[in-house]
Structure formats: C-alpha cells, structure tokens
Amino acid sequence: MLVIGLGLVLMLADLFVPAERRRFLGYAAIAALGVLLVTCLGDAGTGQAFNGAFINDGLALYFKRFFLVAAMLVLFIAAEFADRLVAVAEYYSLILFALAGMLFAASANDFAMLFVSIELITITFYVLVSFQRGKLTSLEAGVKYLILGALSSAFMIFGIALIWGTTGKLNFTELAAVASQFAADKVFLLGVLLVLVGLGFKIAAFPFQIWAPDVYQGAPTPTTAFLAVGSKAAGFVLLLRVLFTAVPAVTAHWANLLIVISGITILYGNLCALPQRNLKRLLGYSSISHAGYLLLGVAALNASGQAAILYYLAGYLFTVLAAFLVIALVLRQLDTEDISGLAGLNQRSPLLAATMTISMVSLAGIPPLAGFFGKFLLLKSVVEAAQTTGNHGYYCLVFTALAGVVISLYYYFGVIKAMYWSRETKDFSAIELSAPAMVTAWICIAGMFWLGLFPNTLLTLANAAVGALKL
C-alpha cells in the first residue's frame, strides 16, 4: 500500500513541479523505495493476512526485496530516458503500480490473490508498453500485448474456476491437503493446466512466448527492462507457489512435461535470436531462452533447483538491466535500435562498452560472472534429479541446455564485435554520462561480479527462502 501511495503522490506532484524538473521525481521515488527496502523489509518476520490468502514468509521477503531493487534500477533508467517521454511523472507512477502488483504476487497464497496481483501487473504494463503514443511500434506492441494478455488471463480464470468447482478450495495450503484426492480428476487437471498456461505467458515460455519479441522491440526501453526482469520474476514466484505449494501431488507426475517445455523454450529462444539485428528484439528472444533455463530448476523438482532459480533471477536482474541501460543511453538519439548503432562505443564511452560487454558475457554463461554460476546451479540440480529418479529425460535436458549455451555465444559476441571492431560508424563523439547513469552502470557491474565470485551469501538466502515450498 505504501508503494501505491507513493505512485499517487508522484501523480499529484506532477501538477506542481515544473516540466523541466519532473525527471527528478524519479530520483525521489528511488530514495523512497530505498527507505522502504531498508526499513519495512529489513525484518525477516513471517505472518498471514486475509485468511491466509496473503502470506509473508521467506520466499515472499526474498522476492519483495528483489522487486524493490529492480524497480529502483528501472527508475534510474527511466530518468535517463525522460526526454523521450511526454508525461514522465505518470510513467514513474505506472512503474510503481506495476511494482505493487509484483509485491502482492510475492505474497500470494490463494488463487484470488494470484489473479488480482497478476492483473494489476499486466494492466499496468498495457499502458507502459504503449506509452509512447506518437510511435507506431509502441502502439502496435501495446495492442499485441493487450490481446494476448487478455487471452492468457481468460485461460487462467477459467482454470481457477475449474479448480474451485472440483475441490471447493482457492487457498494454496488448503488445496495442497486435498489435491492428491483429485490427482486423477481430468477436470481438476485441466484447471491446473490452464492456470499454467496463464503463467507461461508471463514468463514467456514456449508455446506462449510469441508476444515477447514484438513487445520488447516496440515498448519504451525502461518498460522493456521491467518486463524482462520484474514481470518474469513475478511469473516464476507464482509458478513456484502453484506447483510446489498448491498442487505438489500433481507436479510430481508432470516432470516429463516440464522437461519438454524447458528444452523447447531454450532451443526456440536461442535459434530465433541468431538472425536478429534489432538489439531489443534480440534480447526478447534471449529472454525466452532464459525462461527455458529457469524452467530447468522447476523441472528438477527438488530444493536445489528452486534455490537455483532464485539465484539465477538475481544475477539476471543486474545483467539484463545493464544491457538496457546501455541501450537507453546510446541508442536514444538514433532512429534505429540496430546493433550497428553500438559501433565504436568503446571509443565513445569505455564505461558503457564495458558494461554491455560484461552483460553479454554473463548472459552467455561465461565465468566468473553471475550468469555462469546460475547456469551451473540449474544444470547441477537437473543432474541430481536424474540420479535420484533415474529419468533419462533429464540428461537430454542437460544436453539441450548446453547446446543452447553454445548457440548463444554467436549472437552475444556479435554485439561485442559491433562495439569494438565494427567500422559502420564515423561518429566517435564522446557520450556524456550523468552521475546517476554512471552509478547505475557500476552497480550492475558490481552485482554481476559479486554474485559470480561470492555466491554463498545469496545462496544461503535462496535456500532459506525455498524452505517455504513443498517438494
């Protein structure tokens, strides 16, 4: 509620703050979120509200901190992007409203709370994606996201209705107690499957990923960054809650389905990214492939896989936001988002070139960065699952994931090649960076290296957080 109140305050402040100073409202919002992060979420206490529909356990606290950090970094990017937005204060407010939905999602322990939180996120993003109303690609992306988002919401609410109709339960804890009795009920299983369809849209997993490249390309860069990190993480925390808290008895029998979805998502994302020249579209397909990697931890059906998901998302946060920060700063003056726009960046801004390079290397999964250790933990959990269950499908999944890593090297290093060795530009004028932009870049770089070199602290937090889930 504090976040929603902050969003409303920013909207009202827009009436009194001069137009040339409205971008600084973003910095005020960052400071307020920082205070909230330190004070309200510093205590790891647990509790429930609304008859157990809202739960504040270790998993919820982990993701709430995650979402607050993500929103703060996205607001930094939005402040640098403010000159391309007509109503920047409203834009900041919408980011905060989306953040509120993510915070509710982190604590959702009931299908009603799940649906409300995911709709708050999605409806806010309908506006954020199409916020640049004078840009045709932004409007097109908004319409596509609206249509496909509404369709996924329809599937989800129909699935929730089927689950309620067969079990009479909406609360995850209560449902888990009776789910085994309905494990053979086809109507109940169809309901669970339809809910997973809706969540699959949020995380951009195959075959519900078709919206991602177009929306990533057309949306304003800060919106794309928040979609790539915040919306995806919200989808995964809800997926973990549903599969391992609400219906663990059903999930135990769906290992092969999860293996297939994960493998196809990895291959689809990586193969489709190969021919891309638009940088944001490339990252859209990359996001699909990373959803597949994250699904490795879901398919493993063990605690180590769940903890690996939490660690991987933290590394992904700093890695992807670093890339979108560079895009927002370098390509905002160009009429194109082609990779060629990065040509000569090493001479125009060594810091931004280094930031993008480290981001691409981390996304590719090369040590000693966060992306490498995250992939290692996910693959390790899958191998453990193969040894425990004797399911040889897990070994096929490991091979598929490794093949995806090899494929991704081509397009990630293509971006690095454009920055350092391309001769497609004659503009070598220096890019002036504001102090907040430099701070954001250094935070992202530090995050990638710290999580890669010293993973134990975050792993301890992740292992404690997944203790709230059932296997």
Side-chain angles (χ1 to χ4, degrees):
M1 297 305 294
L2 291 174
V3 174
I4 295 176
L6 178 59
L8 294 174
V9 168
L10 286 182
M11 294 185 73
L12 292 175
D14 181 56
L15 300 174
F16 307 101
V17 177
E20 65 274 8
R21 300 188 63 83
R22 285 173 186 163
R23 65 175 296 177
F24 296 104
L25 291 173
Y27 300 134
I30 293 167
L33 293 180
V35 172
L36 180 62
L37 177 63
V38 173
T39 57
C40 297
L41 295 181
D43 181 16
T46 60
Q48 295 184 1
F50 307 113
N51 294 321
F54 182 95
I55 188 169
N56 200 43
D57 56 9
L59 187 67
L61 287 169
Y62 181 96
F63 273 97
K64 286 178 180 179
R65 292 165 181 152
F66 175 96
F67 292 134
L68 285 171
V69 172
M72 291 166 68
L73 292 175
V74 169
L75 283 169
F76 269 121
I77 299 174
E80 296 300 320
F81 199 78
D83 56 341
R84 302 192 67 178
L85 299 172
V86 176
V88 66
E90 288 89 340
Y91 190 80
Y92 294 149
S93 296
L94 288 168
I95 290 175
L96 293 176
F97 295 151
L99 170 63
M102 295 171 191
L103 296 177
F104 281 123
S107 291
N109 192 48
D110 183 283
F111 277 114
M113 180 65 74
L114 177 150
F115 187 74
V116 168
S117 61
I118 210 166
E119 285 304 293
L120 178 56
I121 297 169
T122 305
I123 292 172
T124 307
F125 271 114
Y126 292 157
V127 183
L128 285 171
V129 169
S130 57
F131 201 82
Q132 291 180 296
R133 295 184 292 275
K135 189 177 177 182
L136 182 59
T137 54
S138 180
L139 293 175
E140 180 184 348
V143 171
K144 289 180 179 179
Y145 192 64
L146 170 64
I147 294 172
L148 294 175
L151 182 63
S152 71
S153 296
F155 280 119
M156 179 178 292
I157 196 65
F158 187 49
I160 293 172
L162 293 179
I163 292 172
W164 163 257
T166 52
T167 66
K169 308 290 184 184
L170 288 178
N171 183 275
F172 292 166
T173 306
E174 296 175 359
L175 180 60
V178 300
S180 59
Q181 304 172 22
F182 298 91
D185 189 314
K186 293 182 179 179
V187 176
F188 173 72
L189 294 178
L190 177 60
V192 175
L193 187 62
L194 290 176
V195 170
L196 296 185
V197 168
L199 294 177
F201 171 84
K202 298 303 299 179
I203 65 176
F206 185 91
F208 317 109
Q209 81 300 335
I210 55 174
W211 62 272
D214 292 332
V215 172
Y216 275 48
Q217 179 179 349
T221 300
T223 300
T224 308
F226 209 24
L227 265 176
V229 175
S231 182
K232 185 180 293 292
F236 268 100
V237 67
L238 292 173
L239 184 66
L240 291 173
R241 292 279 192 195
V242 171
L243 290 179
F244 299 108
T245 298
V247 291
V250 176
T251 307
H253 300 288
W254 283 8
N256 289 333
L257 174 63
L258 295 170
I259 288 171
V260 171
I261 293 175
S262 176
I264 295 177
T265 303
I266 290 171
L267 289 178
Y268 179 91
N270 282 307
L271 291 174
C272 290
L274 288 174
Q276 302 303 320
R277 292 294 303 171
N278 183 286
L279 193 52
K280 286 166 66 176
R281 192 174 185 85
L282 183 149
L283 289 175
Y285 283 112
S286 169
S287 175
I288 295 171
S289 70
H290 285 281
Y293 293 125
L294 285 161
L295 285 171
L296 292 173
V298 178
L301 304 182
N302 55 35
S304 60
Q306 297 163 3
I309 292 172
L310 271 59
Y311 175 89
Y312 194 92
L313 283 170
Y316 190 70
L317 183 156
F318 293 110
T319 302
V320 170
L321 292 185
F324 282 111
L325 173 66
V326 176
I327 294 172
L329 293 173
V330 178
L331 302 183
R332 63 182 174 182
Q333 303 300 332
L334 304 177
D335 292 330
T336 178
E337 291 164 344
D338 193 272
I339 294 174
S340 61
L342 298 176
L345 184 59
N346 63 313
Q347 298 182 46
R348 302 181 65 196
S349 177
L351 174 59
L352 293 183
T355 302
M356 181 62 91
T357 299
I358 295 169
S359 174
M360 294 297 106
V361 171
S362 182
L363 285 172
I366 296 175
L369 300 172
F372 165 77
F373 201 72
K375 286 186 174 66
F376 171 78
L377 291 174
L378 289 168
L379 290 171
K380 178 174 174 288
S381 69
V382 174
V383 172
E384 289 177 358
Q387 294 172 343
T388 302
T389 64
N391 186 344
H392 295 291
Y394 283 117
Y395 291 114
C396 295
L397 183 57
V398 170
F399 176 80
T400 302
L402 292 175
V405 170
V406 173
I407 294 170
S408 70
L409 293 175
Y410 176 81
Y411 59 84
Y412 287 136
F413 277 83
V415 176
I416 298 174
K417 177 184 175 183
M419 291 187 293
Y420 288 93
W421 294 287
S422 176
R423 299 181 179 179
E424 296 185 33
T425 183
K426 296 180 180 180
D427 180 13
F428 295 102
S429 58
I431 298 175
E432 298 293 333
L433 298 179
S434 66
M438 292 182 4
V439 169
T440 307
W442 281 113
I443 289 174
C444 292
I445 291 172
M448 287 183 277
F449 274 106
W450 180 68
L451 291 177
L453 294 172
F454 308 102
N456 288 339
T457 301
L458 188 65
L459 272 178
T460 301
L461 293 174
N463 283 313
V466 298
L469 300 173
K470 299 177 183 178
L471 301 179

